[in-house]
């Protein structure tokens, strides 16, 4: 499994099979990543999600990508850093759940946002460490996943995620992308 970290828009990752949505409980158009993914996927995504709401903390759900260039959207629900008990635990569960869903669906490449760092108020450094730890735990599994790309909004955050991955796993792609 190869890891990349880049400054970029999650809905512009044309070369990955699935994008991960940092979803709200109701799996609806929201702000941040959920808003960008739902807007790019079109109204059929929200309609498709309705019967699956509410999404439990730490859980994942796979749906078609509809109007996205990606075949799949994997929706995960992380905890709110301030408002939920054990937020670190649920963020880890959410990332591992997304990876398991990708594995179960034979997905070879996924793009993750900086889960929890927007509306859910996770400090970026903590989120990067939780993400790196979860990826390291999962990377020992036999999995069809070949590429996990983490898309972040700033160069500062890219450096934090890259450093966390290097410290935790040593499994960072040497040719980092920054767009």
């Amino acid at each position: 499994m190869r890891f990349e970290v880049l400054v970029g828009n999650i809905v512009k990752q044309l070369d990955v099979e699935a994008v991960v949505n940092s979803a709200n409980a109701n799996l609806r158009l929201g702000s941040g990543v959920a808003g960008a993914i739902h807007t790019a996927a079109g109204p059929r995504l929200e309609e498709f999600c309705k019967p699956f709401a509410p999404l439990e903390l730490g859980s994942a759900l796979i749906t078609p990508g509809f109007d996205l260039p990606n075949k799949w959207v994997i929706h995960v629900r992380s905890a709110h850093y301030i408002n939920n008990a054990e937020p670190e635990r649920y963020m880890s569960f959410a990332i591992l759940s997304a990876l398991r869903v990708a594995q179960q669906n034979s997905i070879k490449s996924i793009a993750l946002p900086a889960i929890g760092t927007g509306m859910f108020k996770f400090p970026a450094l903590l989120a990067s460490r939780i993400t790196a730890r979860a990826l390291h735990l999962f990377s020992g599994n036999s999995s069809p996943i070949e590429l996990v790309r983490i898309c972040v909004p700033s160069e500062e955050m890219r450096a934090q995620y890259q450093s966390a991955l290097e410290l935790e796993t040593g499994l960072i792609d040497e040719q980092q992308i920054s767009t």
Side-chain angles (χ1 to χ4, degrees):
M1 191 178 302
R2 187 171 52 114
F3 301 102
E4 297 175 347
V5 181
L6 63 87
V7 175
N9 187 331
I10 191 85
V11 300
K12 303 270 186 207
Q13 304 309 307
L14 309 179
D15 62 335
V16 297
E17 291 178 73
V19 293
V20 175
N21 178 19
S22 186
N24 53 57
N26 294 321
L27 297 164
R28 300 184 101 174
L29 174 71
S31 58
V33 170
I37 288 175
H38 274 272
T39 299
R44 292 180 297 161
L45 178 59
E46 188 166 325
E47 200 56 40
F48 187 93
C49 288
K50 282 181 182 178
F52 302 102
L55 185 63
E56 296 295 320
L57 278 174
S59 296
L61 168 72
I62 190 167
T63 66
F66 296 104
D67 295 336
L68 283 165
N70 319 93
K71 186 173 182 179
W72 305 107
V73 177
I74 301 172
H75 307 264
V76 297
R77 183 169 166 227
S78 182
H80 190 287
Y81 185 69
I82 298 165
N83 297 335
N84 293 114
E86 302 182 271
E88 295 95 338
R89 180 173 168 236
Y90 284 108
M91 178 187 279
S92 182
F93 285 173
I95 294 164
L96 290 169
S97 292
L99 294 168
R100 278 192 292 277
V101 165
Q103 179 178 5
Q104 291 162 356
N105 288 277
S106 301
I107 293 170
K108 293 181 179 168
S109 57
I110 65 172
L112 287 169
I115 294 173
T117 60
M119 298 303 297
F120 293 153
K121 306 292 185 205
F122 264 86
L125 185 59
L126 177 59
S128 70
R129 290 176 178 166
I130 293 167
T131 300
R133 195 171 311 120
L135 291 171
H136 179 66
L137 283 171
F138 192 82
S139 67
N141 293 345
S142 174
S143 174
I145 303 170
E146 297 171 3
L147 171 66
V148 176
R149 178 178 297 148
I150 303 168
C151 300
V152 297
S154 69
E155 180 58 35
E156 178 185 357
M157 197 177 284
R158 187 198 64 76
Q160 289 175 330
Y161 273 78
Q162 180 174 330
S163 177
L165 280 167
E166 289 171 349
L167 287 171
E168 185 68 41
T169 68
L171 297 174
I172 190 79
D173 187 348
E174 291 186 22
Q175 294 183 336
Q176 294 306 311
I177 303 168
S178 186
T179 59

